[in-house]
Amino acid sequence: MKEIMLMLPDEKEKKAIKTLVRELSPDATIYMPLNEARAYNIALRSSVDVFVLDIDFRARGRGELQAGAMLAQKLRSVEKYYFTPIIYLMDEYDERVNLLNLIQCHGIFKRPYDMDAVRDALRSALEYHTKDSMERKVILQTEGMMEVVAVEDIIWADVSQRKLFISTVDGDFMLPNKSCKELLQELNSEYFVRCRRGTIVNMKYIKKVESSKCRIHLKKGKGVLEIGSAVKKDFLRKVKRRYSNIVVK
C-alpha cells in the first residue's frame, strides 16, 4: 500500500489531487499536513512514497521563505528520501525552477495545468516505493516446516493457548511456543502495534478504528479486531500519530 503526502493550500485543488490519487491507488494512505513542521514529522515517522507540494505554500512568520521548497530540502537530507518522487505545483515558472531541479523533483506544473499530465506523473511516481523495514522478510518456524514471509504482508498476530496465530495476505500460520513480544522484535517495524496484550496489528491494514466500541476494522475484508483496555490509550496514541484520519469515536 502506498503512502502519499499532499501539502497544498487550496482546498479545491487538494480535493482534486486526492481524487486522482484514489483513482490510481485506491488503498493509498494520504497525508494532508497543514504546515512544513507537521509534514516533516510525519515523513520521519512514516515511509512516504510520493510527495505533492506547492512551492508557494509559505511558512507562517518566515517572510519570503517557501515552506514547500524548505520541506523538499529537508527531505533530501534524509537517506530514505534521497530519490523519493516529488511533484511540484506552482503558479509561475521563475528562478525557483533551478532549485527544484537541484532537489530532484519528479514533476513541475504551471497553473492552470493539464490534469492528465498530473495523472501521468502520479502514475509513474506511484510505481516507486520508499524502502523501509517493511520490505524485509522473516522466517517463521511452523510445525514441521519454515515459511518465508514479507514483513509488509503480515496483517495481525494473536497468541492463544501458547500458540501464535499469524494472518497474512496469502494465508494464516500457527507458530508453537512463540510470543507477540518475540515476533515484534523480529519484525522490528514501527507499523506493528499492540491492540491487546496478546495481539499485534499492522497499522497499514487498519481501515477504521472505533474507539468508543474498542474495535479495529481491517482493510480488504480482513475482519475486525478488539482493542484491549490495558493498551487502548497507547494504541490510540500511536495510530493517531501516524493515521489520525482513521480514528472515530
Side-chain angles (χ1 to χ4, degrees):
M1 289 176 286
K2 299 293 184 179
E3 298 188 29
I4 295 91
M5 179 179 292
L6 310 180
M7 197 170 83
L8 304 169
D10 184 80
E11 291 299 322
K12 184 177 179 180
E13 180 177 56
K14 188 186 301 181
K15 184 178 179 180
I17 299 301
K18 182 180 179 181
T19 298
L20 281 185
V21 173
R22 288 286 180 231
E23 289 178 7
L24 298 168
S25 185
D27 294 328
T29 296
I30 302 176
Y31 303 105
M32 295 188 289
L34 298 178
N35 56 58
E36 171 215 341
R38 176 62 177 160
Y40 187 62
N41 286 334
I42 293 174
L44 291 182
R45 293 198 308 266
S46 307
S47 293
V48 180
D49 298 290
V50 181
F51 293 89
V52 181
L53 309 177
D54 187 330
I55 194 172
D56 294 309
F57 199 124
R58 295 179 182 274
R60 293 181 181 178
R62 295 188 181 180
E64 296 301 314
L65 297 178
Q66 284 80 31
M70 291 172 60
L71 175 61
Q73 288 179 305
K74 284 185 176 181
L75 291 172
R76 291 309 189 209
S77 69
V78 179
E79 184 177 359
K80 66 179 177 180
Y81 292 127
Y82 282 171
F83 301 105
T84 301
I86 297 178
I87 296 175
Y88 255 111
L89 306 180
M90 59 172 61
D91 292 313
E92 296 292 339
Y93 283 113
D94 54 26
E95 68 279 358
R96 293 172 299 178
V97 175
N98 292 326
L99 170 63
L100 299 181
N101 287 329
L102 288 175
I103 54 181
Q104 300 172 331
C105 294
H106 188 70
I108 304 172
F109 300 93
K110 179 179 179 296
R111 299 185 184 91
Y113 46 78
D114 182 353
M115 194 62 80
D116 288 335
V118 177
R119 178 183 287 105
D120 290 340
L122 277 168
R123 180 181 289 110
S124 61
L126 284 166
E127 293 176 358
Y128 179 87
H129 179 66
T130 301
K131 293 184 178 180
D132 68 356
S133 60
M134 295 290 278
E135 292 190 350
R136 294 183 298 102
K137 296 182 184 294
V138 292
I139 299 176
L140 304 178
Q141 181 67 55
T142 62
E143 291 185 326
M145 63 184 301
M146 292 189 297
E147 298 284 350
V148 180
V149 179
V151 172
E152 66 178 352
D153 289 343
I154 297 175
I155 302 171
W156 56 261
D158 177 73
V159 171
S160 179
Q161 298 179 343
R162 296 186 179 181
K163 295 179 180 179
L164 182 64
F165 295 87
I166 299 177
S167 178
T168 76
V169 295
D170 295 319
D172 300 336
F173 304 97
M174 187 276 290
L175 282 64
N177 302 315
K178 196 177 191 69
S179 67
C180 275
K181 182 179 180 180
E182 291 172 330
L183 180 62
L184 277 174
Q185 291 175 342
E186 291 181 22
L187 297 176
N188 189 30
S189 172
E190 293 184 355
Y191 285 96
F192 290 88
V193 294
R194 290 183 184 272
C195 57
R196 293 175 61 192
R197 284 192 182 275
T199 307
I200 61 174
V201 62
N202 184 344
M203 287 190 283
K204 284 197 171 185
Y205 289 96
I206 296 178
K207 180 179 181 180
K208 181 176 67 175
V209 175
E210 292 183 286
S211 58
S212 62
K213 296 182 180 180
C214 295
R215 292 177 182 172
I216 304 168
H217 297 264
L218 301 174
K219 295 179 180 179
K220 299 182 181 296
K222 293 297 182 178
V224 177
L225 298 176
E226 295 181 1
I227 305 172
S229 57
V231 300
K232 180 178 179 180
K233 183 177 180 180
D234 185 60
F235 169 77
L236 291 176
R237 178 181 62 81
K238 290 179 178 178
V239 172
K240 288 179 179 179
R241 186 178 65 181
R242 194 176 290 271
Y243 303 116
S244 59
N245 60 312
I246 66 175
V247 178
V248 299
K249 294 184 178 179

